[in-house]
Amino acid sequence: MMEFRPETLLAQAAGIEDPATGGLIPPLQPSTTFLRDPDNAYRRGFDYARDRNPTYVPAETVLAALEGGAEALLFSSGMAAATAVFQALRPGDHVVIPQVIYWGLRKWLLETASSWGLEVELVDTTEPEAVRAALRPGRTRLLWLETPANPTWAVSDIAALSDLAHEAGALVTVDNTVPTPLLTRPLELGADLVMHSATKYLNGHSDVVAGALLTRRTDAEIWSRIRTIRHDQGAILGPFEAWLLTRGLRTLHLRLRAACGNAMHLAAHLQHHPKIERVLYPGLPTHKGHTLAARQMQGGFGGMLSILVRGGEQAAVATAANVRLWKRATSLGGVESLLEHRASIEGPDSPAPANLLRLSVGAEDVGDLIADLESALAAAEA
Protein backbone atom coordinates (compact mmCIF):
# COMPACT_ATOMS: atom_id res chain seq x y z
CA MET A 1 0.00 0.00 0.00
CA MET A 2 2.84 2.41 0.86
CA GLU A 3 3.80 3.01 -2.77
CA PHE A 4 3.42 6.75 -2.25
CA ARG A 5 4.89 8.98 0.41
CA PRO A 6 2.83 9.43 3.62
CA GLU A 7 1.73 12.94 2.66
CA THR A 8 0.20 11.70 -0.59
CA LEU A 9 -1.40 8.71 1.10
CA LEU A 10 -3.01 10.97 3.69
CA ALA A 11 -4.17 13.74 1.36
CA GLN A 12 -5.99 11.29 -0.90
CA ALA A 13 -7.19 8.90 1.83
CA ALA A 14 -5.29 6.05 0.16
CA GLY A 15 -7.11 6.80 -3.10
CA ILE A 16 -10.36 5.28 -1.85
CA GLU A 17 -13.32 6.71 -3.79
CA ASP A 18 -17.06 6.07 -4.02
CA PRO A 19 -17.41 3.29 -6.64
CA ALA A 20 -21.12 3.99 -7.10
CA THR A 21 -20.80 7.68 -7.99
CA GLY A 22 -17.13 8.36 -8.59
CA GLY A 23 -17.11 10.76 -5.63
CA LEU A 24 -13.60 11.66 -4.46
CA ILE A 25 -14.65 11.61 -0.82
CA PRO A 26 -15.24 8.13 0.64
CA PRO A 27 -18.96 7.76 1.43
CA LEU A 28 -20.59 7.40 4.84
CA GLN A 29 -22.56 4.17 5.23
CA PRO A 30 -24.90 4.33 8.27
CA SER A 31 -26.51 0.92 7.81
CA THR A 32 -26.29 -1.44 10.77
CA THR A 33 -27.11 -4.54 8.76
CA PHE A 34 -26.27 -5.78 5.26
CA LEU A 35 -28.00 -7.92 2.66
CA ARG A 36 -27.19 -11.61 2.42
CA ASP A 37 -26.62 -13.28 -0.93
CA PRO A 38 -29.32 -15.74 -2.10
CA ASP A 39 -27.32 -18.62 -0.64
CA ASN A 40 -27.00 -16.80 2.73
CA ALA A 41 -23.34 -15.87 2.19
CA TYR A 42 -21.86 -12.36 2.61
CA ARG A 43 -19.60 -12.06 -0.42
CA ARG A 44 -19.45 -8.27 -0.15
CA GLY A 45 -17.71 -8.64 3.20
CA PHE A 46 -20.22 -6.98 5.51
CA ASP A 47 -22.93 -8.56 7.65
CA TYR A 48 -23.57 -6.57 10.81
CA ALA A 49 -22.10 -3.23 11.93
CA ARG A 50 -20.87 -4.53 15.29
CA ASP A 51 -18.34 -6.55 13.33
CA ARG A 52 -17.43 -4.19 10.49
CA ASN A 53 -18.73 -1.14 8.62
CA PRO A 54 -17.64 0.05 5.15
CA THR A 55 -16.98 3.53 6.58
CA TYR A 56 -14.13 2.05 8.66
CA VAL A 57 -12.22 0.93 5.58
CA PRO A 58 -10.54 4.21 4.52
CA ALA A 59 -9.24 5.10 7.99
CA GLU A 60 -8.11 1.55 8.77
CA THR A 61 -6.41 1.27 5.38
CA VAL A 62 -4.56 4.57 5.77
CA LEU A 63 -3.46 3.81 9.33
CA ALA A 64 -2.17 0.34 8.47
CA ALA A 65 -0.16 1.77 5.58
CA LEU A 66 1.25 4.62 7.67
CA GLU A 67 2.33 2.34 10.53
CA GLY A 68 3.54 -0.45 8.25
CA GLY A 69 1.09 -2.80 9.95
CA ALA A 70 -0.71 -5.86 8.63
CA GLU A 71 -4.10 -4.65 9.84
CA ALA A 72 -5.79 -1.85 11.78
CA LEU A 73 -8.97 -1.88 13.87
CA LEU A 74 -10.95 1.20 14.88
CA PHE A 75 -12.43 1.41 18.38
CA SER A 76 -14.93 3.65 20.11
CA SER A 77 -12.17 5.46 22.05
CA GLY A 78 -8.48 5.33 22.84
CA MET A 79 -9.29 3.75 26.19
CA ALA A 80 -11.42 1.09 24.49
CA ALA A 81 -8.48 0.26 22.24
CA ALA A 82 -5.92 0.24 25.07
CA THR A 83 -8.00 -1.81 27.48
CA ALA A 84 -8.79 -4.36 24.75
CA VAL A 85 -5.08 -5.26 24.65
CA PHE A 86 -4.99 -6.00 28.39
CA GLN A 87 -8.36 -7.75 28.34
CA ALA A 88 -6.92 -10.11 25.75
CA LEU A 89 -4.51 -11.38 28.42
CA ARG A 90 -5.30 -13.91 31.16
CA PRO A 91 -5.76 -13.53 34.92
CA GLY A 92 -2.37 -14.02 36.56
CA ASP A 93 -0.42 -12.61 33.61
CA HIS A 94 2.31 -10.15 34.50
CA VAL A 95 2.55 -6.86 32.58
CA VAL A 96 5.12 -4.09 32.75
CA ILE A 97 4.04 -0.48 32.22
CA PRO A 98 5.86 2.86 32.46
CA GLN A 99 5.84 4.91 35.64
CA VAL A 100 4.91 7.89 33.46
CA ILE A 101 1.89 6.95 31.38
CA TYR A 102 -1.49 8.39 30.43
CA TRP A 103 -3.20 8.68 33.82
CA GLY A 104 -6.55 7.24 32.72
CA LEU A 105 -4.95 4.00 31.59
CA ARG A 106 -2.72 3.78 34.66
CA LYS A 107 -5.77 4.23 36.92
CA TRP A 108 -7.73 1.53 35.05
CA LEU A 109 -4.81 -0.89 35.20
CA LEU A 110 -4.11 -0.42 38.90
CA GLU A 111 -7.76 -0.49 39.95
CA THR A 112 -9.87 -2.47 37.48
CA ALA A 113 -7.41 -4.75 35.67
CA SER A 114 -5.62 -5.67 38.89
CA SER A 115 -8.93 -6.60 40.50
CA TRP A 116 -9.51 -9.40 37.99
CA GLY A 117 -6.04 -10.83 38.35
CA LEU A 118 -3.66 -8.96 36.04
CA GLU A 119 -0.34 -8.34 37.81
CA VAL A 120 0.73 -4.80 36.94
CA GLU A 121 4.26 -3.54 37.59
CA LEU A 122 5.32 0.08 37.06
CA VAL A 123 8.88 0.61 35.86
CA ASP A 124 11.01 3.51 34.65
CA THR A 125 11.08 2.46 31.00
CA THR A 126 13.68 5.11 30.17
CA GLU A 127 16.17 2.78 31.91
CA PRO A 128 16.59 -0.48 29.96
CA GLU A 129 18.23 -2.23 32.92
CA ALA A 130 15.20 -1.48 35.07
CA VAL A 131 12.99 -3.06 32.44
CA ARG A 132 15.29 -6.08 32.16
CA ALA A 133 15.07 -6.58 35.92
CA ALA A 134 11.27 -6.33 35.88
CA LEU A 135 10.68 -8.81 33.05
CA ARG A 136 9.89 -12.36 34.21
CA PRO A 137 10.55 -14.95 31.50
CA GLY A 138 7.52 -17.14 31.07
CA ARG A 139 5.36 -14.86 33.26
CA THR A 140 5.52 -11.42 31.68
CA ARG A 141 3.09 -11.35 28.76
CA LEU A 142 3.20 -7.69 27.78
CA LEU A 143 5.45 -4.64 27.94
CA TRP A 144 3.48 -1.43 27.35
CA LEU A 145 5.39 1.65 26.22
CA GLU A 146 4.37 5.27 25.81
CA THR A 147 7.00 7.52 24.27
CA PRO A 148 7.24 10.46 24.63
CA ALA A 149 5.26 9.85 27.82
CA ASN A 150 2.50 12.16 29.01
CA PRO A 151 3.02 14.62 30.73
CA THR A 152 6.81 14.76 31.27
CA TRP A 153 7.60 13.55 27.74
CA ALA A 154 10.09 10.95 28.93
CA VAL A 155 11.56 8.98 26.01
CA SER A 156 11.92 5.18 25.97
CA ASP A 157 14.02 3.14 23.51
CA ILE A 158 11.46 1.09 21.58
CA ALA A 159 14.02 -1.03 19.72
CA ALA A 160 16.15 -1.92 22.76
CA LEU A 161 13.16 -2.61 25.00
CA SER A 162 11.43 -4.69 22.33
CA ASP A 163 14.50 -6.91 22.16
CA LEU A 164 14.49 -7.35 25.94
CA ALA A 165 10.76 -8.12 26.02
CA HIS A 166 10.95 -10.64 23.21
CA GLU A 167 13.86 -12.41 24.89
CA ALA A 168 11.57 -12.84 27.92
CA GLY A 169 8.69 -14.09 25.76
CA ALA A 170 6.62 -10.92 26.13
CA LEU A 171 4.82 -8.88 23.50
CA VAL A 172 5.32 -5.12 23.12
CA THR A 173 2.58 -2.54 22.60
CA VAL A 174 3.40 1.12 22.00
CA ASP A 175 1.05 4.04 22.55
CA ASN A 176 1.95 6.13 19.49
CA THR A 177 -0.68 8.82 20.03
CA VAL A 178 1.66 11.78 20.46
CA PRO A 179 4.31 11.09 17.78
CA THR A 180 1.85 9.59 15.26
CA PRO A 181 3.29 7.32 12.54
CA LEU A 182 4.64 10.41 10.77
CA LEU A 183 7.30 10.80 13.48
CA THR A 184 7.71 7.27 14.90
CA ARG A 185 6.90 3.83 13.46
CA PRO A 186 7.07 1.42 16.42
CA LEU A 187 6.39 -1.74 14.39
CA GLU A 188 9.58 -1.08 12.40
CA LEU A 189 11.44 -0.75 15.71
CA GLY A 190 10.28 -4.15 16.97
CA ALA A 191 6.88 -3.55 18.59
CA ASP A 192 4.09 -6.07 18.05
CA LEU A 193 1.09 -3.77 18.48
CA VAL A 194 0.49 -0.03 18.23
CA MET A 195 -2.28 1.92 19.94
CA HIS A 196 -3.67 5.36 19.11
CA SER A 197 -6.12 7.62 20.82
CA ALA A 198 -7.38 8.74 17.41
CA THR A 199 -9.28 11.51 19.21
CA LYS A 200 -6.00 13.41 19.27
CA TYR A 201 -3.68 14.09 16.31
CA LEU A 202 -5.15 11.56 13.89
CA ASN A 203 -8.50 13.34 13.85
CA GLY A 204 -7.09 16.67 14.97
CA HIS A 205 -10.27 18.75 15.19
CA SER A 206 -11.55 18.00 18.74
CA ASP A 207 -14.83 16.65 17.40
CA VAL A 208 -14.36 12.85 17.43
CA VAL A 209 -13.66 10.33 20.20
CA ALA A 210 -11.97 7.30 18.63
CA GLY A 211 -9.23 4.73 19.10
CA ALA A 212 -7.19 2.40 16.92
CA LEU A 213 -5.01 -0.68 17.26
CA LEU A 214 -2.56 -2.01 14.69
CA THR A 215 -0.72 -5.30 14.50
CA ARG A 216 2.45 -6.56 12.92
CA ARG A 217 0.85 -9.98 12.31
CA THR A 218 -2.80 -10.86 11.78
CA ASP A 219 -2.16 -14.49 12.76
CA ALA A 220 -1.01 -13.56 16.27
CA GLU A 221 -3.17 -15.14 18.97
CA ILE A 222 -3.60 -11.87 20.85
CA TRP A 223 -4.90 -10.16 17.69
CA SER A 224 -7.58 -12.80 17.29
CA ARG A 225 -8.66 -12.22 20.90
CA ILE A 226 -8.65 -8.44 20.38
CA ARG A 227 -10.92 -8.78 17.35
CA THR A 228 -13.29 -10.91 19.42
CA ILE A 229 -13.30 -8.38 22.27
CA ARG A 230 -14.16 -5.52 19.91
CA HIS A 231 -17.00 -7.53 18.41
CA ASP A 232 -18.42 -9.09 21.58
CA GLN A 233 -18.16 -6.01 23.79
CA GLY A 234 -19.36 -3.67 21.06
CA ALA A 235 -16.37 -1.31 21.40
CA ILE A 236 -17.00 -0.01 17.89
CA LEU A 237 -16.85 3.43 16.33
CA GLY A 238 -19.96 5.00 14.85
CA PRO A 239 -19.92 5.39 11.06
CA PHE A 240 -20.15 9.20 11.20
CA GLU A 241 -17.20 9.34 13.60
CA ALA A 242 -15.24 7.01 11.30
CA TRP A 243 -16.05 9.28 8.37
CA LEU A 244 -14.88 12.34 10.33
CA LEU A 245 -11.70 10.51 11.31
CA THR A 246 -10.89 9.90 7.64
CA ARG A 247 -11.59 13.58 6.99
CA GLY A 248 -9.16 14.55 9.75
CA LEU A 249 -6.44 12.15 8.58
CA ARG A 250 -6.29 13.89 5.21
CA THR A 251 -4.58 16.91 6.82
CA LEU A 252 -2.53 15.14 9.50
CA HIS A 253 0.80 15.93 7.82
CA LEU A 254 -0.02 19.64 7.56
CA ARG A 255 -1.36 19.95 11.11
CA LEU A 256 1.48 17.98 12.69
CA ARG A 257 4.12 19.97 10.82
CA ALA A 258 2.62 23.21 12.16
CA ALA A 259 2.34 21.81 15.70
CA CYS A 260 5.94 20.55 15.72
CA GLY A 261 7.29 23.84 14.41
CA ASN A 262 5.32 25.89 16.91
CA ALA A 263 6.24 23.61 19.82
CA MET A 264 9.96 23.76 19.01
CA HIS A 265 9.85 27.55 18.71
CA LEU A 266 7.86 27.87 21.94
CA ALA A 267 10.12 25.50 23.89
CA ALA A 268 13.29 27.26 22.77
CA HIS A 269 11.83 30.64 23.71
CA LEU A 270 10.45 29.62 27.10
CA GLN A 271 13.51 27.73 28.37
CA HIS A 272 15.16 31.04 29.27
CA HIS A 273 12.05 32.72 30.69
CA PRO A 274 12.68 33.99 34.25
CA LYS A 275 9.30 32.75 35.50
CA ILE A 276 9.81 29.21 34.17
CA GLU A 277 11.92 26.76 36.10
CA ARG A 278 12.22 24.20 33.30
CA VAL A 279 10.78 23.28 29.90
CA LEU A 280 10.14 19.59 29.21
CA TYR A 281 10.35 18.96 25.46
CA PRO A 282 12.30 16.18 23.69
CA GLY A 283 13.42 18.63 21.00
CA LEU A 284 15.56 20.58 23.47
CA PRO A 285 19.17 19.36 23.96
CA THR A 286 18.62 19.83 27.71
CA HIS A 287 15.94 17.11 27.74
CA LYS A 288 17.22 13.80 29.14
CA GLY A 289 15.82 11.85 26.19
CA HIS A 290 16.85 14.27 23.43
CA THR A 291 19.54 12.10 21.81
CA LEU A 292 17.28 9.04 21.75
CA ALA A 293 14.33 11.10 20.50
CA ALA A 294 16.45 12.50 17.69
CA ARG A 295 17.24 8.94 16.60
CA GLN A 296 13.77 7.47 17.14
CA MET A 297 11.59 10.35 15.93
CA GLN A 298 11.91 11.40 12.30
CA GLY A 299 10.71 14.81 11.11
CA GLY A 300 10.04 16.51 14.44
CA PHE A 301 9.64 16.10 18.17
CA GLY A 302 5.87 16.45 18.42
CA GLY A 303 3.48 19.19 19.45
CA MET A 304 3.42 18.48 23.20
CA LEU A 305 5.53 20.10 25.91
CA SER A 306 5.26 20.94 29.59
CA ILE A 307 6.56 23.86 31.63
CA LEU A 308 7.45 23.95 35.33
CA VAL A 309 6.38 27.35 36.64
CA ARG A 310 8.46 29.07 39.31
CA GLY A 311 6.46 29.65 42.47
CA GLY A 312 4.97 26.17 42.74
CA GLU A 313 1.42 24.96 42.27
CA GLN A 314 -0.18 28.29 43.09
CA ALA A 315 1.78 30.10 40.38
CA ALA A 316 1.05 27.36 37.84
CA VAL A 317 -2.69 27.42 38.52
CA ALA A 318 -2.73 31.23 38.43
CA THR A 319 -0.93 31.19 35.09
CA ALA A 320 -3.55 28.84 33.65
CA ALA A 321 -6.30 31.08 34.99
CA ASN A 322 -4.94 34.11 33.13
CA VAL A 323 -4.54 32.79 29.57
CA ARG A 324 -6.84 34.20 26.88
CA LEU A 325 -5.73 32.54 23.63
CA TRP A 326 -4.72 29.19 25.13
CA LYS A 327 -7.76 27.13 26.13
CA ARG A 328 -7.96 25.50 29.57
CA ALA A 329 -9.22 22.12 28.43
CA THR A 330 -8.46 18.41 28.56
CA SER A 331 -7.17 16.49 25.52
CA LEU A 332 -4.49 17.31 23.00
CA GLY A 333 -3.61 17.18 19.32
CA GLY A 334 -6.21 19.60 17.97
CA VAL A 335 -5.59 22.67 15.83
CA GLU A 336 -6.30 24.87 18.87
CA SER A 337 -3.74 25.20 21.65
CA LEU A 338 -4.70 23.75 25.03
CA LEU A 339 -3.23 24.22 28.49
CA GLU A 340 -3.85 22.17 31.62
CA HIS A 341 -2.60 21.81 35.21
CA ARG A 342 -2.15 18.05 35.25
CA ALA A 343 -1.52 17.39 38.95
CA SER A 344 -4.94 18.74 39.97
CA ILE A 345 -6.60 16.77 37.17
CA GLU A 346 -4.87 13.47 37.92
CA GLY A 347 -5.06 13.56 41.70
CA PRO A 348 -2.62 12.76 44.55
CA ASP A 349 -0.97 9.80 42.79
CA SER A 350 -0.03 11.84 39.73
CA PRO A 351 3.63 11.70 38.66
CA ALA A 352 3.23 15.27 37.39
CA PRO A 353 5.02 17.90 39.49
CA ALA A 354 2.64 20.31 41.21
CA ASN A 355 3.99 23.26 39.18
CA LEU A 356 3.64 21.54 35.80
CA LEU A 357 1.44 22.92 33.03
CA ARG A 358 0.92 20.68 30.00
CA LEU A 359 0.75 22.46 26.66
CA SER A 360 -0.78 21.04 23.50
CA VAL A 361 0.53 23.40 20.84
CA GLY A 362 -1.82 24.02 17.95
CA ALA A 363 -1.63 25.70 14.56
CA GLU A 364 -2.04 29.33 15.61
CA ASP A 365 0.60 32.00 15.07
CA VAL A 366 3.40 31.12 17.47
CA GLY A 367 4.03 34.78 18.30
CA ASP A 368 0.46 35.10 19.52
CA LEU A 369 0.84 31.95 21.62
CA ILE A 370 4.03 33.25 23.21
CA ALA A 371 2.56 36.67 23.94
CA ASP A 372 -0.51 35.19 25.61
CA LEU A 373 1.53 32.82 27.77
CA GLU A 374 3.96 35.56 28.79
CA SER A 375 1.03 37.80 29.73
CA ALA A 376 -0.46 35.02 31.85
CA LEU A 377 2.87 34.39 33.59
CA ALA A 378 3.16 38.08 34.41
CA ALA A 379 -0.44 38.30 35.66
CA ALA A 380 0.08 35.25 37.86
CA GLU A 381 2.83 37.03 39.77
CA ALA A 382 0.92 40.27 40.20
XYZ file of all heavy atoms in Angstrom, residues 64-107:
323
model
N -3.025 1.518 8.646
C -2.175 0.337 8.475
C -0.994 0.649 7.564
O 0.136 0.219 7.819
C -2.994 -0.824 7.912
N -1.247 1.402 6.506
C -0.165 1.766 5.581
C 0.841 2.693 6.254
O 2.056 2.525 6.107
C -0.749 2.422 4.333
N 0.354 3.669 7.014
C 1.253 4.617 7.673
C 2.139 3.937 8.703
O 3.324 4.252 8.822
C 0.444 5.720 8.363
C -0.209 6.776 7.478
C -1.061 7.703 8.333
C 0.822 7.571 6.706
N 1.567 3.011 9.475
C 2.328 2.341 10.529
C 3.125 1.155 10.003
O 3.946 0.595 10.724
C 1.381 1.858 11.639
C 0.808 2.968 12.516
C 1.810 3.486 13.536
O 2.999 3.131 13.460
O 1.386 4.264 14.412
N 2.882 0.747 8.750
C 3.539 -0.446 8.247
C 3.001 -1.695 8.903
O 3.713 -2.695 9.069
N 1.710 -1.668 9.281
C 1.094 -2.798 9.948
C 0.336 -3.698 8.992
O 0.004 -3.301 7.872
N 0.047 -4.908 9.452
C -0.705 -5.858 8.630
C -2.190 -5.545 8.643
O -2.895 -5.845 7.676
C -0.462 -7.280 9.137
N -2.675 -4.947 9.740
C -4.098 -4.652 9.840
C -4.315 -3.615 10.932
O -3.550 -3.531 11.890
C -4.897 -5.921 10.169
C -6.402 -5.737 10.092
C -7.146 -7.048 10.282
O -6.750 -7.860 11.156
O -8.131 -7.270 9.565
N -5.378 -2.817 10.766
C -5.791 -1.850 11.781
C -7.242 -2.093 12.152
O -8.039 -2.531 11.316
C -5.618 -0.423 11.259
N -7.585 -1.804 13.397
C -8.966 -1.881 13.866
C -9.323 -0.571 14.551
O -8.565 -0.086 15.408
C -9.145 -3.022 14.869
C -9.026 -4.458 14.365
C -9.137 -5.430 15.540
C -10.099 -4.757 13.326
N -10.465 0.011 14.203
C -10.951 1.199 14.881
C -11.764 0.802 16.110
O -12.447 -0.219 16.113
C -11.836 2.030 13.944
C -11.170 2.642 12.711
C -12.172 3.522 11.969
C -9.920 3.430 13.079
N -11.692 1.628 17.143
C -12.428 1.411 18.379
C -13.195 2.680 18.751
O -12.939 3.746 18.209
C -11.478 1.045 19.527
C -10.970 -0.376 19.474
C -9.967 -0.738 18.592
C -11.503 -1.347 20.313
C -9.505 -2.041 18.535
C -11.046 -2.656 20.268
C -10.044 -3.010 19.375
N -14.084 2.539 19.715
C -14.931 3.653 20.114
C -14.181 4.752 20.856
O -14.680 5.862 20.978
C -16.088 3.144 20.993
O -15.580 2.383 22.072
N -12.999 4.463 21.371
C -12.169 5.460 22.048
C -10.756 4.914 22.182
O -10.520 3.713 21.997
C -12.729 5.793 23.440
O -12.600 4.674 24.295
N -9.830 5.793 22.563
C -8.482 5.329 22.837
C -8.450 4.376 24.013
O -7.713 3.378 24.008
N -9.237 4.651 25.039
C -9.294 3.755 26.192
C -9.871 2.398 25.810
O -9.423 1.357 26.318
C -10.116 4.391 27.306
C -9.329 5.367 28.160
S -7.999 4.582 29.114
C -8.940 3.675 30.337
N -10.865 2.373 24.937
C -11.420 1.090 24.490
C -10.360 0.279 23.760
O -10.273 -0.942 23.926
C -12.628 1.322 23.588
N -9.551 0.953 22.961
C -8.476 0.262 22.242
C -7.414 -0.245 23.208
O -6.981 -1.400 23.136
C -7.859 1.198 21.209
N -6.976 0.616 24.129
C -5.917 0.238 25.066
C -6.357 -0.892 25.980
O -5.626 -1.872 26.176
C -5.499 1.460 25.888
N -7.548 -0.777 26.548
C -7.999 -1.812 27.484
C -8.254 -3.134 26.783
O -8.120 -4.201 27.410
C -9.259 -1.357 28.237
O -10.280 -1.000 27.295
C -8.964 -0.155 29.121
N -8.585 -3.105 25.488
C -8.786 -4.362 24.752
C -7.506 -5.193 24.731
O -7.557 -6.427 24.776
C -9.253 -4.075 23.330
N -6.355 -4.536 24.663
C -5.078 -5.261 24.653
C -4.896 -6.021 25.963
O -4.548 -7.206 25.978
C -3.900 -4.289 24.430
C -2.563 -5.034 24.523
C -4.023 -3.595 23.070
N -5.169 -5.355 27.081
C -4.987 -5.998 28.385
C -6.076 -7.025 28.660
O -5.826 -8.050 29.305
C -4.947 -4.940 29.483
C -3.730 -4.059 29.414
C -3.776 -2.817 28.798
C -2.522 -4.482 29.944
C -2.659 -2.009 28.720
C -1.381 -3.690 29.868
C -1.451 -2.447 29.252
N -7.282 -6.778 28.163
C -8.361 -7.745 28.345
C -8.109 -9.018 27.542
O -8.683 -10.069 27.862
C -9.692 -7.116 27.940
C -10.187 -6.067 28.922
C -11.413 -5.337 28.407
O -11.551 -5.072 27.229
N -12.318 -4.994 29.308
N -7.253 -8.930 26.531
C -6.916 -10.114 25.746
C -5.920 -11.018 26.470
O -5.627 -12.117 25.995
C -6.346 -9.689 24.386
N -5.404 -10.559 27.610
C -4.506 -11.384 28.421
C -5.330 -12.227 29.395
O -6.551 -12.184 29.399
C -3.517 -10.480 29.166
C -2.663 -9.570 28.273
C -1.803 -8.632 29.119
C -1.791 -10.378 27.319
N -4.630 -12.994 30.233
C -5.300 -13.913 31.158
C -5.068 -13.483 32.606
O -4.018 -12.898 32.917
C -4.752 -15.337 30.987
C -4.718 -15.851 29.564
C -6.098 -16.067 28.989
N -6.029 -16.755 27.694
C -7.047 -16.868 26.862
N -8.219 -16.337 27.173
N -6.911 -17.512 25.699
N -6.002 -13.777 33.500
C -5.757 -13.529 34.923
C -4.468 -14.216 35.371
O -4.208 -15.365 35.014
C -6.986 -14.141 35.608
C -8.064 -14.061 34.561
C -7.358 -14.307 33.255
N -3.655 -13.492 36.122
C -2.373 -14.020 36.565
C -1.213 -13.594 35.690
O -0.047 -13.721 36.098
N -1.498 -13.094 34.485
C -0.423 -12.613 33.612
C 0.235 -11.378 34.225
O -0.424 -10.543 34.852
C -0.959 -12.265 32.225
C -1.258 -13.504 31.384
O -0.853 -14.604 31.803
O -1.892 -13.363 30.328
N 1.520 -11.269 33.999
C 2.311 -10.146 34.498
C 2.555 -9.174 33.347
O 2.925 -9.583 32.243
C 3.649 -10.652 35.052
C 4.589 -9.575 35.489
N 5.763 -9.287 34.816
C 4.534 -8.708 36.535
C 6.390 -8.314 35.438
N 5.674 -7.944 36.483
N 2.306 -7.885 33.595
C 2.547 -6.863 32.579
C 3.420 -5.769 33.176
O 3.333 -5.469 34.379
C 1.239 -6.262 32.033
C 0.377 -7.338 31.377
C 0.449 -5.541 33.113
N 4.243 -5.185 32.345
C 5.120 -4.089 32.751
C 4.674 -2.832 32.029
O 4.512 -2.834 30.804
C 6.594 -4.405 32.428
C 7.486 -3.202 32.744
C 7.051 -5.642 33.194
N 4.461 -1.755 32.797
C 4.035 -0.483 32.219
C 4.946 0.631 32.716
O 5.595 0.486 33.755
C 2.563 -0.164 32.558
C 2.396 0.120 34.058
C 1.649 -1.314 32.118
C 1.035 0.665 34.437
N 4.995 1.758 32.018
C 5.860 2.859 32.458
C 5.334 3.543 33.715
O 4.123 3.594 33.957
C 5.825 3.840 31.269
C 5.268 3.072 30.119
C 4.360 2.045 30.714
N 6.248 4.101 34.490
C 5.841 4.912 35.639
C 5.121 6.173 35.171
O 4.192 6.644 35.835
C 7.070 5.278 36.483
C 7.682 4.103 37.217
C 8.958 4.475 37.949
O 9.575 5.504 37.663
N 9.362 3.634 38.889
N 5.575 6.730 34.049
C 4.912 7.891 33.464
C 4.111 7.398 32.269
O 4.672 6.922 31.284
C 5.922 8.982 33.038
C 5.192 10.160 32.407
C 6.751 9.430 34.231
N 2.797 7.510 32.372
C 1.894 6.948 31.378
C 0.590 7.735 31.464
O 0.295 8.355 32.505
C 1.657 5.438 31.671
C 0.800 4.772 30.600
C 1.065 5.242 33.048
C 0.620 3.260 30.828
N -0.202 7.712 30.404
C -1.495 8.391 30.434
C -2.252 7.972 31.693
O -2.467 6.785 31.940
C -2.301 8.061 29.175
C -3.743 8.468 29.266
C -4.092 9.795 29.524
C -4.761 7.537 29.128
C -5.417 10.163 29.646
C -6.088 7.901 29.236
C -6.415 9.219 29.502
O -7.739 9.577 29.630
N -2.669 8.962 32.476
C -3.197 8.677 33.817
C -4.471 7.837 33.787
O -4.692 7.022 34.691
C -3.444 9.982 34.569
C -4.705 10.691 34.169
C -4.882 11.478 33.064
C -5.955 10.643 34.839
N -6.162 11.936 33.014
C -6.857 11.446 34.095
C -6.416 10.024 35.988
C -8.181 11.624 34.464
C -7.738 10.211 36.364
C -8.604 11.000 35.607
N -5.318 8.016 32.785
C -6.549 7.243 32.719
C -6.292 5.760 32.573
O -6.960 4.924 33.202
N -5.302 5.410 31.763
C -4.955 4.000 31.590
C -4.286 3.454 32.843
O -4.558 2.321 33.263
C -4.045 3.825 30.368
C -3.609 2.394 30.076
C -4.815 1.477 29.854
C -2.674 2.337 28.869
N -3.379 4.239 33.432
C -2.723 3.784 34.662
C -3.761 3.498 35.748
O -3.706 2.474 36.436
C -1.727 4.838 35.154
C -0.969 4.414 36.421
C -0.010 5.483 36.913
N -0.711 6.622 37.478
C -0.620 7.852 37.016
N 0.133 8.113 35.964
N -1.279 8.841 37.600
N -4.727 4.403 35.903
C -5.770 4.233 36.919
C -6.581 2.962 36.652
O -6.859 2.189 37.572
C -6.684 5.461 36.903
C -7.762 5.490 37.975
C -8.479 6.827 37.931
C -9.507 6.946 39.058
N -10.633 6.014 38.873
